[in-house]
């Protein structure tokens, strides 16, 4: 007992290291709010649904949702519970990783096992995802326990498997990989793993029965929304896996050296099983295309055994050397691997951490702003429905990617020729979305379409003619003066006629490139205008406001106010309910000191977006340098 306790005490600094990094990165992932909305709707008496009356399983963490429901039913703040639980389970990932390594390397390799614990403790992806509100840490601990009990040949493995399967569908994949790994290594029917898996399957039947009875299916809806079987998916998966190997897999050295040692029969049975387990899991993650959420979320369950691959390879090479030599090798390996584990992913982790915090803040603010401006029972659609949807409890929110909408997930429109996007969520059904006529449509990147589901909307006359962007000034959460604004497209006119594609994508693509090119210097705006003019040449039949207004703003940046004013006047002559056109005219009149025009356009802005009148004037004055 004493040596075991001593080993755990030596792991505590690694746990402290994890907590320090996790606190510095602390945030709540936008997708966590999807689960939160399901939990809150259940607690409000509406059932386990995202939208009231729509039984669609739009989450992939059934056991985690049930866990939060339990705390919420006791009157506790389940959001806070999810965060605290994440910290606790993140610490357990460090400890369980150490126990696995110690089991695999044996008593003589206990100091090498300790290095595994510190590699996990300093792992920024573990610290990033553990307190993010999702089930990542819980699933990772369950997978770790599965591996530990599998190596120990303990029947507690059944409990670990059940926990993993309930937390994520990939739990079943882990069970399958264990079966294959054990069969390959032992070269016989993997009875132990097979019996444990069968028992876990029986104990998981209540969850399966609930899903069939309540949601009419076993697989969650995001499986259909995210999964596709294209070559691009395999390329995305390899990119995802390779980045993990670069950041935490030591460029695959552990895999390669371990494979060579396995071929040379230099690895123990447990070491062989770990090698095959990691390889099998990586193959699965690569085949499914990785994860749309970055910072290695899908690989967090494997960070411990991934570090173990390298450490056990080194241990196999030095095991028979003198104690002093082994200690020297351990010291050198520790310095190199700890430095790599910290420095290689640092820039990526910090970049995504900052952008995700900003995304959650902006979308939460946007939802609250719409709710404050519109007291009706409005509906909204968005490509990012986490924080946005959670702030709009009681309102129907349509996920444009199909995560919580079975029609979009299972009946997407065909890919649009020529459409390119960095988004991995390719599913969309714009005709169906417009048939629902949501009152608001919100893009994750504001006014500029980014996701395929956003870009596709501009192909339809109903969207172009009926929806116009409203603008809200978004205060900086730290109180700094910024000019950041958020936009939501509001339905200004009823949708009429057959909902069919009207505009060619090349036309829309030139418009998007023009919006992307808008900047502050002359070259950027000249480039933007070139794209806008190309779009007009491609489709000269009545260019829509979404194209002419940004062109006018580029002209204004160049000081060509007369041309900009003519374009905006043309827009308003066709449709008097285009707030962005009034914003542009207000700026032109303010710049040219046309007070009657300023007053006229201020009155229209007061009618269309009263919350933005004062911020708009302040931003214009700041732009013109009148407040300095």
């Amino acid at each position: 007992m004493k040596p075991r306790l001593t080993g755990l005490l030596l792991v505590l600094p690694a746990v402290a290291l994890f907590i320090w990094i996790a606190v510095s990165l602390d945030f709540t992932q936008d997708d966590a709010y999807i689960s939160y909305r399901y939990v809150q709707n259940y607690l409000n008496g509406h059932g386990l649904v995202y939208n009231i009356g729509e039984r669609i399983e739009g989450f992939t963490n059934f056991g985690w949702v049930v866990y939060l429901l339990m705390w919420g039913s006791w009157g506790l703040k389940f959001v806070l519970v999810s965060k605290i639980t994440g910290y606790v389970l993140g610490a357990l990932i460090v400890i369980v990783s150490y126990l696995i390594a110690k089991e695999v390397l044996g008593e003589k390799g206990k100091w090498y096992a300790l290095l595994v614990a510190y590699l996990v403790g300093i792992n920024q992806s573990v610290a990033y995802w553990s307190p993010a509100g999702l089930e990542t840490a819980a699933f990772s601990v369950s997978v770790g326990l599965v591996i530990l009990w599998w190596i120990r040949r303990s029947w507690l493995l059944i409990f670990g498997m059940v926990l993993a399967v309930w937390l994520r569908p990939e739990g079943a994949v882990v069970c399958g990989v264990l079966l294959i790994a054990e069969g390959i290594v032992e070269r016989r029917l993997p009875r132990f793993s097979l019996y444990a898996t069968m028992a876990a399957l029986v104990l998981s039947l209540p969850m399966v029965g609930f899903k069939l009875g309540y949601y009419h299916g076993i697989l969650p809806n995001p499986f259909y929304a995210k999964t596709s079987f294209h070559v691009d998916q395999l390329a995305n998966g390899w990119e995802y896996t390779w980045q993990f190997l670069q950041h935490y897999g030591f460029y695959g050295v552990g895999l390669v050296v371990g494979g060579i040692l396995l071929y040379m029969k230099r690895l123990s049975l447990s070491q062989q099983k770990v090698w095959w387990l990691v390889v099998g899991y990586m193959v699965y993650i690569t085949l499914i295309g990785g994860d749309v959420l970055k910072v290695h979320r899908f690989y967090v369950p494997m960070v411990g055994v991934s570090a173990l691959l390298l450490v056990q390879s080194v241990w196999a090479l030095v095991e028979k050397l003198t104690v002093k030599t082994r200690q020297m090798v351990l010291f050198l390996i520790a310095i190199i691997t700890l430095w790599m584990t910290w420095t290689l992913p640092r820039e990526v982790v910090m970049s995504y951490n900052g952008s995700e915090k900003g995304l959650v803040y902006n979308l939460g603010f946007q939802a609250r702003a719409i709710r404050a401006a519109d007291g009706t029972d409005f509906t909204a659609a968005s490509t990012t429905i986490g924080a946005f949807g959670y702030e709009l409890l009681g309102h129907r929110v349509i996920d444009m990617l199909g995560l919580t909408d079975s029609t979009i997930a299972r009946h997407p429109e065909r890919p649009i020729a020529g459409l390119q996007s960095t988004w991995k969520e390719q599913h969309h059904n714009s005709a169906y979305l417009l048939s629902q006529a949501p009152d608001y449509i919100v893009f994750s990147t504001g006014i500029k379409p980014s996701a395929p589901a956003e870009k596709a909307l501009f192909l339809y006359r109903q969207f172009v003619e009926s929806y116009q962007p409203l603008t809200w000034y978004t205060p900086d959460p730290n109180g700094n003066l910024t000019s950041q604004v958020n936009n939501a497209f509001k339905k200004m006119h009823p949708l009429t006629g057959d909902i069919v594609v009207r505009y060619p994508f090349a036309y829309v693509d030139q418009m998007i490139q023009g919006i992307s090119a808008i900047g502050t210097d002359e070259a950027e705006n000249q480039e933007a205008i070139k794209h806008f003019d190309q779009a007009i040449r491609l489709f000269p039949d009545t260019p829509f406001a979404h194209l002419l207004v940004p062109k006018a703003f580029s002209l204004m940046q160049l000081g060509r106010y007369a041309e900009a004013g003519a374009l905006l006047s043309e827009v308003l002559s066709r449709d008097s309910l285009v707030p962005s056109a009034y914003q542009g005219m207000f700026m032109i009149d303010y710049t040219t000191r046309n007070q009657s025009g300023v007053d006229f356009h201020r009155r229209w802005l007061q009618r269309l977006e009263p919350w933005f009148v004062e911020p708009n004037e302040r931003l214009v004055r700041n732009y013109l340098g009148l407040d300095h």
Side-chain angles (χ1 to χ4, degrees):
M1 179 63 72
K2 187 176 180 181
R4 186 173 298 179
L5 180 61
T6 301
L8 290 176
L9 288 175
L10 291 173
V11 173
L12 290 181
V15 171
L17 192 62
F18 153 76
I19 294 173
W20 173 69
I21 300 172
V23 169
S24 70
L25 295 173
D26 185 62
F27 79 109
T28 304
Q29 167 67 35
D30 186 72
D31 281 33
Y33 289 95
I34 298 176
S35 298
Y36 295 161
R37 176 160 160 142
Y38 273 91
V39 172
Q40 192 60 62
N41 273 335
Y42 182 88
L43 296 175
N44 290 344
H46 303 303
L48 201 56
V49 297
Y50 184 83
N51 287 319
I52 297 172
E54 298 179 5
R55 290 192 178 186
I56 299 170
E57 187 184 4
F59 54 88
T60 56
N61 49 4
F62 184 85
W64 184 247
V65 169
V66 172
Y67 172 76
L68 297 182
L69 276 177
M70 177 185 70
W71 291 99
S73 65
W74 293 341
L76 297 176
K77 296 180 179 179
F78 60 85
V79 174
L80 179 60
V81 168
S82 73
K83 305 277 291 178
I84 294 172
T85 303
Y87 277 103
V88 173
L89 294 175
L92 279 176
I93 294 174
V94 179
I95 295 171
V96 172
S97 297
Y98 167 72
L99 294 175
I100 294 171
K102 194 168 180 293
E103 196 72 29
V104 171
L105 299 178
E107 183 62 28
K108 288 184 178 180
K110 62 183 179 181
W111 295 108
Y112 280 77
L114 199 60
L115 173 58
V116 172
Y118 280 83
L119 288 172
V120 176
I122 204 174
N123 188 293
Q124 292 162 87
S125 293
V126 175
Y128 183 97
W129 285 112
S130 292
L134 286 167
E135 76 295 335
T136 307
F139 181 63
S140 299
V141 169
S142 69
V143 171
L145 291 174
V146 164
I147 297 170
L148 178 64
W149 291 328
W150 176 56
I151 293 171
R152 288 180 174 176
R153 310 291 281 188
S154 169
W155 289 109
L156 287 172
L157 174 62
I158 298 170
F159 169 75
M161 285 181 163
V162 171
L163 193 60
V165 170
W166 278 60
L167 284 168
R168 281 199 65 84
E170 285 83 5
V173 175
V174 171
C175 295
V177 172
L178 292 186
L179 285 169
I180 295 171
E182 184 174 312
I184 291 174
V185 173
E186 299 188 357
R187 297 183 180 181
R188 59 182 175 83
L189 183 69
R191 293 183 179 179
F192 173 68
S193 297
L194 181 60
Y195 293 155
T197 301
M198 292 174 62
L201 176 62
V202 172
L203 293 175
S204 298
L205 288 178
M207 177 186 69
V208 174
F210 175 83
K211 287 188 174 190
L212 286 172
Y214 197 81
Y215 294 121
H216 308 296
I218 298 176
L219 294 174
N221 199 61
F223 171 82
Y224 301 98
K226 292 182 178 181
T227 303
S228 60
F229 300 98
H230 300 293
V231 175
D232 289 346
Q233 177 173 295
L234 188 60
N236 291 336
W238 169 243
E239 179 186 352
Y240 187 85
T241 295
W242 176 238
Q243 188 180 60
F244 173 76
L245 290 173
Q246 287 177 297
H247 289 169
Y248 300 123
F250 312 107
Y251 293 91
V253 170
L255 277 171
V256 174
V257 175
I260 294 172
L261 292 173
L262 182 146
Y263 177 77
M264 296 172 62
K265 299 181 180 180
R266 294 280 302 276
L267 299 180
S268 67
L269 288 179
S270 59
Q271 290 173 345
Q272 292 179 48
K273 289 179 181 179
V274 168
W275 190 87
W276 281 109
L277 169 67
V278 174
V279 169
Y281 188 85
M282 284 186 172
V283 169
Y284 165 73
I285 295 299
T286 302
L287 288 176
I288 65 170
D291 185 20
V292 296
L293 302 181
K294 304 300 181 181
V295 197
H296 314 299
R297 181 174 71 115
F298 277 180
Y299 276 119
V300 171
M302 290 288 127
V303 293
V305 287
S306 176
L308 177 58
L309 282 185
L310 179 69
V311 173
Q312 77 178 21
S313 296
V314 175
W315 175 248
L317 294 172
V318 304
E319 182 181 5
K320 296 182 180 179
L321 299 178
T322 64
V323 174
K324 187 175 181 179
T325 303
R326 293 203 305 261
Q327 290 176 344
M328 183 180 67
V329 171
L330 173 61
F331 178 74
L332 292 174
I333 291 295
I335 291 176
I336 295 170
T337 55
L338 288 170
W339 176 80
M340 291 176 66
T341 301
W342 176 258
T343 57
L344 291 178
R346 184 64 177 170
E347 184 177 348
V348 170
V349 171
M350 295 306 296
S351 174
Y352 279 107
N353 187 242
S355 62
E356 190 65 29
K357 287 177 180 176
L359 176 71
V360 171
Y361 172 77
N362 287 333
L363 289 173
F365 173 87
Q366 184 68 79
R368 293 190 296 274
I370 294 174
R371 192 179 61 209
D374 191 335
T376 67
D377 184 26
F378 62 82
T379 59
S382 178
T383 47
T384 312
I385 61 166
F388 182 79
Y390 186 68
E391 293 288 348
L392 294 179
L393 285 165
H395 293 273
R396 185 182 182 219
V397 176
I398 304 171
D399 177 27
M400 294 165 60
L401 306 178
L403 299 181
T404 57
D405 190 289
S406 59
T407 300
I408 296 175
R410 304 185 189 213
H411 306 285
E413 292 174 333
R414 291 182 178 180
I416 299 169
L419 190 155
Q420 295 182 344
S421 174
T422 58
W423 287 60
K424 293 184 179 179
E425 301 98 327
Q426 297 292 317
H427 285 200
H428 58 84
N429 191 329
S430 298
Y432 159 77
L433 178 68
L434 293 170
S435 73
Q436 303 299 295
D439 297 291
Y440 297 91
I441 297 177
V442 177
F443 295 171
S444 61
T445 50
I447 199 170
K448 183 182 72 173
S450 175
E454 297 167 349
K455 294 180 178 181
L457 284 171
F458 287 88
L459 303 176
Y460 292 82
R461 177 184 61 81
Q462 285 78 8
F463 175 77
V464 166
E465 295 181 357
S466 298
Y467 288 88
Q468 294 297 336
L470 297 180
T471 308
W472 282 265
Y473 172 73
T474 309
D476 186 276
N478 299 317
N480 300 320
L481 178 63
T482 68
S483 59
Q484 184 175 356
V485 294
N486 274 349
N487 300 99
F489 291 88
K490 182 180 181 181
K491 184 177 64 178
M492 310 297 278
H493 305 285
L495 280 67
T496 59
D498 295 333
I499 302 176
V500 295
V501 171
R502 164 95 185 271
Y503 304 104
F505 179 71
Y507 173 48
V508 175
D509 187 46
Q510 287 297 322
M511 179 204 73
I512 295 170
Q513 291 187 56
I515 294 174
S516 300
I518 294 176
T520 56
D521 63 44
E522 180 177 351
E524 290 173 326
N525 288 290
Q526 291 285 10
E527 179 69 16
I529 291 171
K530 183 175 72 174
H531 285 295
F532 294 136
D533 289 341
Q534 177 64 17
I536 293 171
R537 284 193 291 271
L538 286 170
F539 196 86
D541 182 20
T542 315
F544 48 64
H546 300 285
L547 186 153
L548 295 184
V549 171
K551 179 182 177 181
F553 273 89
S554 280
L555 290 169
M556 289 159 57
Q557 293 275 18
L558 297 173
R560 295 158 62 178
Y561 296 113
E563 295 175 70
L567 281 180
L568 296 174
S569 296
E570 180 183 347
V571 169
L572 293 173
S573 68
R574 299 178 190 162
D575 186 351
S576 62
L577 301 180
V578 182
S580 55
Y582 289 110
Q583 292 174 21
M585 293 298 290
F586 179 90
M587 185 173 182
I588 292 172
D589 291 332
Y590 210 103
T591 304
T592 59
R593 292 177 170 78
N594 177 7
Q595 189 59 45
S596 61
V598 166
D599 294 339
F600 176 80
H601 296 114
R602 182 189 286 117
R603 286 194 295 271
W604 268 101
L605 288 172
Q606 184 68 44
R607 173 185 170 186
L608 295 175
E609 43 186 19
W611 56 85
F612 192 60
V613 172
E614 188 276 331
N616 180 58
E617 184 165 349
R618 188 169 72 250
L619 293 174
V620 170
R621 290 180 60 83
N622 184 61
Y623 172 76
L624 297 174
L626 300 177
D627 288 336
H628 299 291

